[in-house]
């Protein structure tokens, strides 16, 4: 009997020394959210992430992505991730503007010189700061997807900011976006992505703004036939997981997820570059009028009040803008 007691005590003592391995050996089912169709570069990137995680955890973490906003529009999905009912997702950073201040910096108009500059910022200083802010609201950023440059498309031709005056232009739900569109002279109308097509069709709005692949994949080009290459914002996207799940992973599992997310982002970026070209071709062949903006200065000059409002009295944000500008 005494031997048994000693053995039991020893077993308990050893158990106390072994770090708690959450659900080790136990299968978990993770739910993933994506706003785009499965064959969009982001959907494929997210699927790649899921496959890599499943393979490398021997199917212990099973990832299932629900594409095409099946689990709700972006704002709802962010809330669901914070509550832990969505486990992983690809989000645009603008819907975080009112929740995570540094996401405003990378939304700012005409900040990045080109794609390479935006990669250097988001894979470095900007990404680090944004990841800290997102963690504060229960979201763990693992890697960054491309989203190209966003331009304005409308139901009537727009050549100059003056042409935009009074036009109702859809924006993402973010105060910064509202101010940005107002500074261009338009009438900003925040709406969920999924409502843009019918709103254009019924005349509730006169235009929206997005990158080539979204303009094409949503078929907005069928109802808004003029695309003006303002390229006013290059806001990137995040591949993120819920903190509620992350907290319960061990270090080995976390590394698997981090590596898989980085590989998925590299894959998405390759697909992205290709899709931008293809989408532009598709809409041009469908007869869209592309209005090339040769000189962006008149557009950029109108943005001064937006910079002033969002970074002027905030040293953390203005220093991040400065550091991004100084990147090679
Ligand atoms: C697309 C983004 C998507 C956004 C959408 C929008 O990939 O995440 O929800 O724009 O404008 O480019 O809402």
């Amino acid at each position: 009997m005494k031997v048994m007691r000693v053995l039991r005590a020893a077993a308990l003592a050893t158990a106390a020394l072994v770090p708690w391995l959450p659900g080790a050996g136990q299968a978990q089912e993770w739910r993933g959210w994506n706003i785009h169709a499965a064959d969009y570069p982001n959907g494929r990137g997210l699927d790649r992430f899921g496959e890599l995680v499943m393979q490398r955890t021997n199917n212990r973490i099973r990832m299932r992505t629900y594409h095409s906003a099946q689990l709700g529009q972006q704002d709802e999905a962010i809330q669901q991730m914070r509550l832990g009912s969505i486990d992983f997702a690809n989000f645009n950073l603008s819907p975080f503007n009112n929740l995570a201040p540094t996401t405003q910096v990378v939304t700012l108009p005409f900040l990045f010189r080109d794609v390479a500059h935006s990669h250097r910022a988001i894979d470095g200083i900007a990404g680090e700061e944004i990841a800290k802010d997102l963690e504060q609201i229960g979201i763990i950023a693992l890697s960054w997807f491309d989203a190209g440059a966003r331009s304005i498309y409308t139901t009537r031709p727009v050549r100059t900011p003056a042409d935009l005056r009074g036009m109702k232009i859809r924006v993402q739900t973010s105060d910064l976006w509202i101010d940005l569109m107002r500074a261009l002279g338009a009438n900003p109308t925040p709406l969920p992505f999924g409502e843009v097509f019918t709103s254009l069709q019924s005349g509730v709005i006169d235009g929206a703004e997005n990158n080539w692949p979204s303009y094409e994949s949503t078929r907005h080009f069928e109802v808004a036939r003029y695309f003006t290459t303002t390229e006013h914002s290059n806001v990137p996207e995040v591949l993120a997981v819920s903190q509620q799940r992350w907290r319960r992973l061990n270090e080995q599992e976390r590394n698997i997820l981090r590596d898989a997310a980085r590989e998925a982002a590299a894959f998405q970026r390759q697909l992205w570059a290709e899709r931008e070209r293809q989408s532009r071709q598709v809409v041009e062949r469908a007869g869209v009028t592309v209005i090339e903006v040769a000189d962006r200065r008149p557009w950029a000059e109108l943005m001064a009040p937006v910079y002033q409002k969002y970074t002027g009295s905030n040293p953390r944000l203005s220093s991040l803008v400065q550091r991004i500008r100084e990147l090679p």
Side-chain angles (χ1 to χ4, degrees):
M1 279 325 273
K2 195 166 169 219
V3 174
M4 285 299 285
R5 232 178 293 136
V6 171
L7 282 179
R8 205 176 313 128
L12 283 174
T14 321
L17 290 174
V18 176
W20 181 58
L21 290 181
Q26 227 177 70
Q28 313 176 19
E29 178 95 25
W30 286 37
R31 283 166 24 119
W33 179 88
N34 170 30
I35 204 162
H36 296 286
D39 68 350
Y40 197 81
N42 305 27
R44 292 181 61 195
L46 215 52
D47 282 342
R48 173 66 61 92
F49 171 67
E51 283 154 22
L52 292 173
V53 170
M54 287 199 279
Q55 264 168 26
R56 294 173 187 174
T57 61
N58 294 321
N59 280 329
R60 211 170 56 251
I61 304 185
R62 286 203 215 105
M63 314 289 264
R64 166 138 190 230
T65 309
Y66 294 82
H67 297 284
S68 307
Q70 283 173 68
L71 303 179
Q73 290 294 315
Q74 188 138 273
D75 289 336
E76 296 146 25
I78 289 172
Q79 290 315 322
Q80 289 189 58
M81 178 173 274
R82 297 179 70 184
L83 296 169
S85 56
I86 284 178
D87 306 304
F88 66 105
N90 153 232
F91 293 120
N92 186 272
L93 289 175
S94 290
F96 289 105
N97 286 169
N98 294 2
L99 301 167
T102 48
T103 62
Q104 295 172 345
V105 169
V106 292
T107 303
L108 281 168
F110 306 106
L111 175 68
F112 300 117
R113 291 188 298 276
D114 50 34
V115 177
H117 182 209
S118 76
H119 285 176
R120 275 193 288 278
I122 199 69
D123 292 336
I125 48 175
E128 283 158 26
E129 294 296 319
I130 292 170
K132 282 188 216 157
D133 280 3
L134 291 179
E135 193 167 351
Q136 294 293 316
I137 59 162
I139 289 177
I140 306 295
L142 294 182
S143 67
W144 312 97
F145 282 7
D146 249 355
R150 297 176 76 101
S151 288
I152 293 174
Y153 49 87
T154 44
T155 51
R156 300 194 296 274
V158 168
R159 290 172 210 287
T160 64
D163 295 335
L164 263 185
R165 203 157 298 143
M167 284 176 91
K168 284 182 270 124
I169 305 294
R170 178 268 174 172
V171 290
Q172 298 194 66
T173 42
S174 130
D175 290 343
L176 194 157
W177 271 108
I178 293 176
D179 286 322
L180 187 158
M181 213 30 93
R182 213 169 261 152
L184 290 177
N187 209 336
T189 310
L191 281 176
F193 193 45
E195 287 175 26
V196 179
F197 185 90
T198 46
S199 305
L200 283 166
Q201 208 175 28
S202 63
V204 167
I205 52 173
D206 306 304
E209 54 77 55
N210 220 313
N211 46 49
W212 291 108
S214 279
Y215 177 54
E216 172 261 314
S217 67
T218 53
R219 313 206 69 78
H220 293 173
F221 70 91
E222 291 177 354
V223 276
R225 308 286 290 160
Y226 299 91
F227 190 98
T228 309
T229 61
T230 49
E231 301 192 349
H232 51 275
S233 175
N234 284 66
V235 55
E237 312 218 348
V238 65
L239 194 172
V241 302
S242 141
Q243 197 173 44
Q244 312 233 10
R245 285 284 195 187
W246 189 251
R247 217 183 262 144
R248 285 178 265 142
L249 297 179
N250 61 39
E251 206 40 46
Q252 189 201 2
E253 291 166 330
R254 287 182 179 180
N255 283 334
I256 290 175
L257 264 73
R258 283 192 192 102
D259 289 345
R262 268 193 293 267
E263 289 169 45
F267 178 58
Q268 188 273 350
R269 286 178 185 188
Q270 265 175 27
L271 297 174
W272 183 262
E274 183 52 30
R275 180 65 180 253
E276 269 188 326
R277 272 190 295 277
Q278 282 172 358
S279 294
R280 182 174 179 154
Q281 246 178 32
V282 169
V283 303
E284 283 186 332
R285 284 201 189 123
V288 159
T289 304
V290 178
I291 300 168
E292 288 288 357
V293 177
D295 182 6
R296 297 205 167 78
R297 270 171 310 180
W299 298 83
E301 277 160 12
L302 294 170
M303 296 295 109
V306 179
Y307 273 82
Q308 181 55 31
K309 176 164 175 188
Y310 287 88
T311 65
S313 56
N314 187 322
R316 182 173 174 228
L317 301 193
S318 55
S319 111
L320 186 54
V321 168
Q322 194 52 34
R323 283 184 293 150
I324 291 175
R325 284 199 169 130
E326 282 163 6
L327 286 174

